[in-house]
């Protein structure tokens, strides 16, 4: 019996190590709940495969993983750690929408950067945190590769941009007018249109809920888990 327990324990550790290597994720078991920690780093990879030299987060890995977390009764909360330069818009929004639609407590923490499509990912959790030194870049939608110079292309860009603005405004404390103003600002970036916000600024404008660190994010998530337990009773 003891040998079986040791074998199961070793298998669990191997699975945990493999999960950490492949997805940068892990499960934390504490007295206040079982929390799944998920990292979104580098560039969000969508329909196009990025070079092997680029750090990427693959949306086809995250979507089924998030669905599994939602249905796993043993996992009580999700902690999302962000340090991303952005990437594929559709992939980023797909991940953000999935997290926003979860019934379990979710908390995000921006570390380093939450740029471009990383902004919706930062605000998709129930509560969002940012460390003082982290930055967030807000800019208009842009596309690489061949672009057809036609009115339809302009309307398509506008429609995508509208979806992003609506999502951010609905999942944070910033107004759509202020977010659009940041998006179209011309005095903040040397060779581009947009705005760079740092930790305290992101909180002051309502984009992010709290200025804090890992311990603050964990404390908030544990409190939400405890409240959910009380509701279930």
């Amino acid at each position: 019996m003891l040998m079986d327990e040791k074998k199961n324990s070793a298998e669990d550790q191997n699975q945990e190590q493999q999960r950490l290597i492949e997805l940068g994720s892990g499960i934390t078991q504490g007295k206040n709940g079982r929390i799944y920690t998920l990292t979104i780093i580098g560039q969000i990879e969508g329909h196009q495969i990025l070079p092997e030299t680029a750090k990427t987060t693959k949306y086809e890995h995250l979507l089924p993983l998030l669905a599994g977390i939602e249905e796993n009764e043993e996992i009580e909360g999700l902690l999302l750690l962000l340090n991303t330069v952005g990437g594929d818009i559709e992939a980023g929004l797909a991940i953000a929408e999935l997290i926003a639609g979860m019934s379990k407590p979710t908390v995000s923490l921006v570390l380093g950067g939450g740029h471009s499509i990383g902004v919706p990912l930062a605000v998709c959790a129930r509560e969002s945190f940012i460390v003082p030194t982290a930055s967030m870049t807000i800019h208009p939608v842009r596309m690489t590769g061949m672009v057809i110079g036609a009115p339809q292309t302009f309307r398509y860009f506008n429609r995508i941009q509208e979806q992003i603005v609506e999502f951010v405004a609905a999942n944070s404390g910033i107004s759509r007018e202020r977010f659009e103003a940041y998006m179209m600002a011309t005095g903040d970036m040397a060779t581009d249109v947009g705005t760079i916000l740092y930790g305290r600024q992101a909180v002051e404008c309502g984009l992010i809920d709290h200025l804090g660190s890992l311990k603050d994010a964990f404390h908030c998530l544990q409190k939400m888990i405890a409240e959910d337990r009380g509701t279930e009773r």
Side-chain angles (χ1 to χ4, degrees):
M1 187 70 178
L2 187 60
M3 290 294 292
D4 289 342
E5 289 178 359
K6 287 183 177 179
K7 183 179 179 181
N8 290 336
S9 177
E11 288 176 354
D12 289 343
Q13 288 180 359
N14 288 336
Q15 289 177 0
E16 186 68 21
Q17 289 174 356
Q18 193 65 24
R19 187 187 297 115
L20 186 61
I21 293 169
E22 291 181 357
L23 299 173
S25 62
I27 298 174
T28 303
Q29 176 66 62
K31 62 180 181 179
N32 295 315
R34 192 173 174 88
I35 295 170
Y36 198 103
T37 302
L38 180 65
T39 58
I40 295 183
I41 60 170
Q43 200 163 344
I44 310 299
E45 186 176 276
H47 306 301
Q48 302 296 322
I49 297 176
L50 296 174
E52 292 183 0
T53 54
K55 284 279 188 181
T56 63
T57 296
K58 301 178 187 296
Y59 84 109
E60 69 270 24
H61 291 173
L62 262 56
L63 297 186
L65 177 64
L66 289 167
I69 292 171
E70 172 69 8
E71 287 299 300
N72 191 331
E73 295 181 358
E74 295 182 357
I75 297 173
E76 297 181 90
L78 173 67
L79 176 63
L80 190 65
L81 302 179
L82 287 160
N83 187 9
T84 176
V85 296
D88 188 281
I89 293 173
E90 288 184 355
L93 278 178
I95 297 168
E97 288 280 14
L98 208 57
I99 296 171
M102 294 180 74
S103 62
K104 295 183 178 182
T106 55
V107 170
S108 65
L109 175 61
V110 182
L111 302 157
H115 305 293
S116 191
I117 201 61
V119 175
L121 287 164
V123 304
C124 67
R126 286 196 207 172
E127 295 289 333
S128 58
F129 286 80
I130 187 170
V131 296
T133 56
S135 58
M136 303 182 76
T137 303
I138 304 168
H139 60 69
V141 171
R142 53 173 66 96
M143 186 176 291
T144 58
M146 185 182 73
V147 177
I148 299 172
Q152 292 89 334
T153 303
F154 178 74
R155 288 197 296 270
Y156 173 67
F157 273 38
N158 270 347
R159 289 170 69 184
I160 294 177
Q161 195 160 290
E162 182 68 18
Q163 297 301 316
I164 294 171
V165 172
E166 283 188 6
F167 183 89
V168 172
N171 289 276
S172 71
I174 196 170
S175 67
R176 59 176 299 122
E177 291 79 17
R178 190 167 191 181
F179 187 73
E180 286 177 333
Y182 282 143
M183 188 179 279
M184 303 307 295
T186 57
D188 198 36
M189 300 170 70
T191 59
D192 203 351
V193 176
T195 304
I196 300 174
L197 298 176
Y198 290 91
R200 194 172 301 278
Q201 293 173 304
V203 175
E204 289 173 351
C205 74
L207 182 61
I208 299 296
D209 297 321
H210 313 284
L211 190 71
S213 60
L214 182 60
K215 67 176 181 180
D216 302 305
F218 262 124
H219 177 74
C220 178
L221 188 53
Q222 289 162 354
K223 183 179 178 181
M224 291 163 65
I225 290 171
E227 290 172 353
D228 268 23
R229 285 175 179 171
T231 303
E232 287 173 4
R233 292 196 193 98

